[in-house]
Amino acid sequence: MGVYVVSVGAEEWFGEEEDGWGEVASALNAELGRRGLPPYEDVPPETDFARGSGQAFEEKLAPPMTGFLALCRTHLTREELETLCGWTVLVPFSLDEEIWLPIESDEHESMVAGAPQVLRLAMKLATAIDLPRETPMTCDNLDLSMWFRHQAKELAATRTAPWSKDLDATFYVALFLRAAQHAIRRGCPLVYT
C-alpha cells in the first residue's frame, strides 16, 4: 500500500461518503469565511485517465526522506519546511498562512497549505539542486516514480550536478514542485491517501 499524493475531483472533494473529503471541504470553507475569504467551490470534476494528459496526479512516497529533509534544513527556514512538507491538503490558491482544521471523524487535524506558497519553496530547492529539465512535468500515474527508477539513474551516470548526488532527495523536490504546479494548473486540491 503506502502513502500517495493524489489529486481530488469535485465529486470526491464534496462527497460525504467514507472516502470523500466533504468534511474537510466544509471545514475549509467555514474557515475561509471566518477569514473574510470566498469559499473554495470551483473544483474541477475528475476526468477519464489518459497517460501524459496532466489531468490527474498520483505519486507514491516510497524513497527515504532523510536526504530531502537535510536539503530542506540547508535551504529553508523551519517555518518554510513546515509549509512545504507539513500539509495534508494542498489547495490551488494562495493562503497568508496555513489553515489547521480539526477533523472529528479521524480525530486529527488537517493542515491546508496554498499551492503558490509550496511552489515558491519547491522552486527554491529545485534551483539549489539544478533539477534537470528532463524531469517529467506530469504525474498522472506514478510518472515521477518510474522516471526516477530508470531514466534519472541513467542521466545521473552521465551528468554530474547537485541533483544527481541524492536521487531520493531529488525525487521529493520534484514531487512537491509538480504537486504545487498541478494544483495551480488544474485548480484542484491534492491530498495524502
Side-chain angles (χ1 to χ4, degrees):
M1 290 286 295
V3 177
Y4 291 80
V5 174
V6 298
S7 55
V8 177
E11 300 85 357
E12 190 177 351
W13 180 249
F14 296 111
E16 296 298 328
E17 308 82 47
E18 184 177 324
D19 58 347
W21 290 87
E23 186 178 0
V24 170
S26 294
L28 174 61
N29 283 343
E31 181 60 25
L32 291 172
R34 194 182 71 70
R35 295 177 182 206
L37 299 170
Y40 175 41
E41 296 176 338
D42 194 21
V43 179
E46 283 190 41
T47 59
D48 291 334
F49 176 74
R51 184 171 297 283
S53 70
Q55 298 299 302
F57 190 99
E58 179 184 3
E59 285 296 338
K60 185 175 183 179
L61 281 68
M65 292 186 85
T66 308
F68 174 70
L69 293 174
L71 178 70
C72 288
R73 285 190 287 274
T74 300
H75 295 281
L76 304 176
T77 67
R78 187 170 180 228
E79 293 77 21
E80 289 174 329
L81 172 61
E82 179 69 19
T83 298
L84 179 67
C85 302
W87 57 267
T88 51
V89 178
L90 187 65
V91 292
F93 50 87
S94 186
L95 293 171
D96 289 340
E97 62 183 4
E98 297 82 24
I99 296 176
W100 288 92
L101 301 174
I103 304 302
E104 293 177 18
S105 64
D106 292 338
E107 298 180 6
H108 75 281
E109 287 189 315
S110 289
M111 194 262 264
V112 182
Q117 287 73 28
V118 170
L119 178 61
R120 181 182 60 80
L121 299 172
M123 286 293 294
K124 189 175 182 180
L125 294 178
T127 300
I129 64 168
D130 193 20
L131 186 69
R133 66 182 183 284
E134 292 90 347
T135 305
M137 294 297 292
T138 60
C139 305
D140 295 288
N141 185 16
L142 307 176
D143 295 336
L144 278 179
S145 299
M146 292 300 148
W147 189 81
F148 274 93
R149 236 182 247 152
H150 305 291
Q151 291 94 331
K153 288 180 181 178
E154 295 170 10
L155 190 60
T158 61
R159 189 185 305 167
T160 304
W163 71 268
S164 64
K165 294 179 179 144
D166 185 342
L167 292 182
D168 291 343
T170 301
F171 167 79
Y172 285 106
V173 171
L175 172 79
F176 287 108
L177 177 67
R178 299 302 186 232
Q181 290 171 332
H182 181 86
I184 293 167
R185 184 179 70 250
R186 287 276 294 139
C188 69
L190 275 76
V191 300
Y192 286 93
T193 62

